[in-house]
Amino acid sequence: MLIHAHVHDKLSHAEEQYACHAHRAVILRISVRLANHCLHNEACEFSRRRPTCQIRCTSRYPESSCIWRSLLLRCRDDTTMQLVIKNAAIHRINGLHDIGIDQGKFVAIAPSLPLEDVQRIIDIGGNFLVPPFVDSHFHLDSVLSLGHPRHNQSGTLLEGIEIWGALKKTITRQGIIERATHYCRWAIAQGIGAIRSHVDVSETTLTTVEALLEVREAMKPYLTIQLVAFPQDGYLRASGQIERLNRALDMGVDIVGGIPHGERTMQDGTESIRLLCEIAAERGLRVDMHCDESDDPLSRHIEQLAYQTHRLGLHGRVAGSHLTSMHSMDSYYVSKLLSLMAEAEVHAVANPLINITLQGRHDTYPKRRGLTRIPEMLASGINVSLGHDCVMDPWYPLGRGDMLEVSSMAWHLSQMTRPEHSDIMIDMITENGAKTLGLAEYGIQVGHPANFVVLQAKSAAEALRLKPNRLFVVRDGVVLAETPAQQALLHLGSQTHAVHFRWTMTHPKCSQDYAARG
């Protein structure tokens, strides 16, 4: 059973002895909630950061051996653990830890766990363990349709829309299901645990909706899929669109979408935001709009989206995707805009792979990057997550569902090169994405579903640099995917060398984030 009790400010001698032998016993007066709280914080003196917390981790316990971090957070005498992951470098937790899993949930996190009667033990040898990747923006209806009916010769957003419009006239329900299902297998193997996919409701028969609803249900045990009712041809611009979007929501689509910059006029774009946000408020749904995917600095629909979010009390339930016009906006206006977004708690979803490809096509030189202002939004307290957007379709001919590739591109384009930025880049494809999607019980914490990915890397920086193999992908305590560790064998004369593309920096001033640590 899990033990909950009051936490005293000081520890007895007996408790200190227990702490030194966490593998043998549990201090019974520690609540799991507070123990997890301590495990996920960097500071040792918690009362300084969170005055309401009654725990004081005094100087008697250095951070590396802090009693709260070394406690066995599990007390079960009625069952054995099904799985223990040993020697895990957990994202944003210092040191190596063992993770105990039973009945599909995390039941223990400690530097060392007892291994008696454990059904399976996986020693990952200090490799990097992260929550499942979250793809905050994707299009499953168009995925893997590259070259049908033709390729995008200009590489522009508008030609991509034109090609997709022609393809919609010939697509079948079974064809969408086959392509989307095939891609979902890629996503699972890459460690993606959740995808928010926009589904085009401009197609008159809603074949796209029917197909992706079936895919969502079939993938449910392995992959969380959220569907957004996306009026690709414009909510007010296309005939019959208002009725089709409502019908898609009635069929079970999760989220209200929009494309205000795709309407005929700025005024129509503003009106579409009002109407769509009101639909979401009435139905109790979230909103995720393609917003200002343009190089035009006067495309400012995000301002209206933040306003309607605030007016209707949709705080924390609305996302603006792309926001590329912000790249070209006047910085003074952006400073106002960021405060409005933060006030309304609007999530921002950047799509670096697709926007570095599509934007700036009308520029000569210098060419704009087109990516939205990620560092500035993060500094303003706005939740920013990332999406892959497209894979092998009319807009993007490349891709393989690798969210580390997405994050790496954002790292480069945003020039977020400081050591601490590597952890933030992992956050944007994990925790931040979970916030955007509103996922419950997400993350590496006791009591949460045992969902995680083991990467062949030692740190966030190394994961971004190498984009390494996913050694294990686990959902609800079940291993869904395994990939052998990568190495190259060099035969140089009489010598053979194993190459893993890692390097340990030995200079004392080098950041530990960039050290391979083994």
Short mmCIF file of all heavy atoms in Angstrom, two decimals, residues 8 32 34 44 100 112 117 172 310 337 348-349 434:
data_model
loop_
_atom_site.label_atom_id
_atom_site.label_comp_id
_atom_site.label_asym_id
_atom_site.label_seq_id
_atom_site.Cartn_x
_atom_site.Cartn_y
_atom_site.Cartn_z
N HIS A 8 7.23 15.55 9.42
CA HIS A 8 7.81 16.38 10.46
C HIS A 8 8.99 17.17 9.91
O HIS A 8 9.62 16.79 8.94
CB HIS A 8 8.27 15.51 11.63
CG HIS A 8 7.11 14.95 12.39
ND1 HIS A 8 6.37 15.69 13.29
CD2 HIS A 8 6.54 13.70 12.37
CE1 HIS A 8 5.43 14.93 13.82
NE2 HIS A 8 5.50 13.72 13.27
N VAL A 32 3.49 10.35 -0.53
CA VAL A 32 4.02 10.16 -1.87
C VAL A 32 3.99 11.46 -2.64
O VAL A 32 4.90 11.79 -3.40
CB VAL A 32 3.21 9.07 -2.60
CG1 VAL A 32 3.57 9.04 -4.07
CG2 VAL A 32 3.47 7.73 -1.96
N LEU A 34 4.39 14.58 -1.58
CA LEU A 34 5.50 15.46 -1.22
C LEU A 34 6.83 14.86 -1.62
O LEU A 34 7.76 15.58 -2.01
CB LEU A 34 5.47 15.74 0.28
CG LEU A 34 4.32 16.63 0.73
CD1 LEU A 34 4.32 16.77 2.24
CD2 LEU A 34 4.40 18.00 0.08
N CYS A 44 17.56 22.24 -2.66
CA CYS A 44 17.54 21.35 -1.50
C CYS A 44 16.72 21.96 -0.38
O CYS A 44 16.12 21.26 0.41
CB CYS A 44 18.97 21.08 -1.05
SG CYS A 44 19.17 19.55 -0.12
N GLY A 100 10.44 1.59 -10.55
CA GLY A 100 9.62 0.41 -10.38
C GLY A 100 8.25 0.58 -11.02
O GLY A 100 7.62 1.63 -10.89
N SER A 112 18.14 3.23 -5.71
CA SER A 112 18.29 1.78 -5.75
C SER A 112 17.01 1.15 -5.26
O SER A 112 16.47 1.54 -4.21
CB SER A 112 19.46 1.34 -4.87
OG SER A 112 19.61 -0.06 -4.90
N ASP A 117 12.02 -10.91 -6.64
CA ASP A 117 10.70 -11.25 -7.22
C ASP A 117 10.25 -10.30 -8.32
O ASP A 117 9.07 -10.27 -8.67
CB ASP A 117 9.62 -11.29 -6.13
CG ASP A 117 9.92 -12.33 -5.06
OD1 ASP A 117 10.40 -13.41 -5.43
OD2 ASP A 117 9.68 -12.04 -3.87
N THR A 172 -9.97 7.84 -50.67
CA THR A 172 -10.96 6.90 -50.15
C THR A 172 -10.74 6.72 -48.65
O THR A 172 -9.64 6.96 -48.13
CB THR A 172 -10.85 5.53 -50.83
OG1 THR A 172 -9.57 4.94 -50.51
CG2 THR A 172 -10.99 5.66 -52.34
N HIS A 310 -9.91 35.19 -23.85
CA HIS A 310 -10.13 35.90 -22.60
C HIS A 310 -11.60 36.23 -22.39
O HIS A 310 -12.15 36.04 -21.29
CB HIS A 310 -9.28 37.18 -22.60
CG HIS A 310 -9.30 37.93 -21.31
ND1 HIS A 310 -8.74 37.44 -20.16
CD2 HIS A 310 -9.85 39.14 -20.99
CE1 HIS A 310 -8.92 38.32 -19.18
NE2 HIS A 310 -9.58 39.35 -19.66
N LEU A 337 1.60 42.02 -27.89
CA LEU A 337 0.93 40.77 -28.25
C LEU A 337 1.27 39.65 -27.27
O LEU A 337 0.40 38.87 -26.85
CB LEU A 337 1.33 40.37 -29.66
CG LEU A 337 0.63 39.19 -30.31
CD1 LEU A 337 -0.87 39.40 -30.35
CD2 LEU A 337 1.17 38.98 -31.71
N ALA A 348 1.17 28.22 -27.61
CA ALA A 348 1.75 28.44 -28.94
C ALA A 348 2.37 27.15 -29.43
O ALA A 348 3.09 26.48 -28.69
CB ALA A 348 2.80 29.55 -28.88
N VAL A 349 2.07 26.79 -30.68
CA VAL A 349 2.62 25.58 -31.28
C VAL A 349 3.45 25.98 -32.50
O VAL A 349 2.91 26.50 -33.48
CB VAL A 349 1.53 24.58 -31.69
CG1 VAL A 349 2.16 23.32 -32.27
CG2 VAL A 349 0.65 24.23 -30.50
N ALA A 434 2.28 18.13 -23.57
CA ALA A 434 1.21 17.56 -22.75
C ALA A 434 0.29 18.66 -22.23
O ALA A 434 -0.94 18.47 -22.14
CB ALA A 434 1.80 16.76 -21.60
#
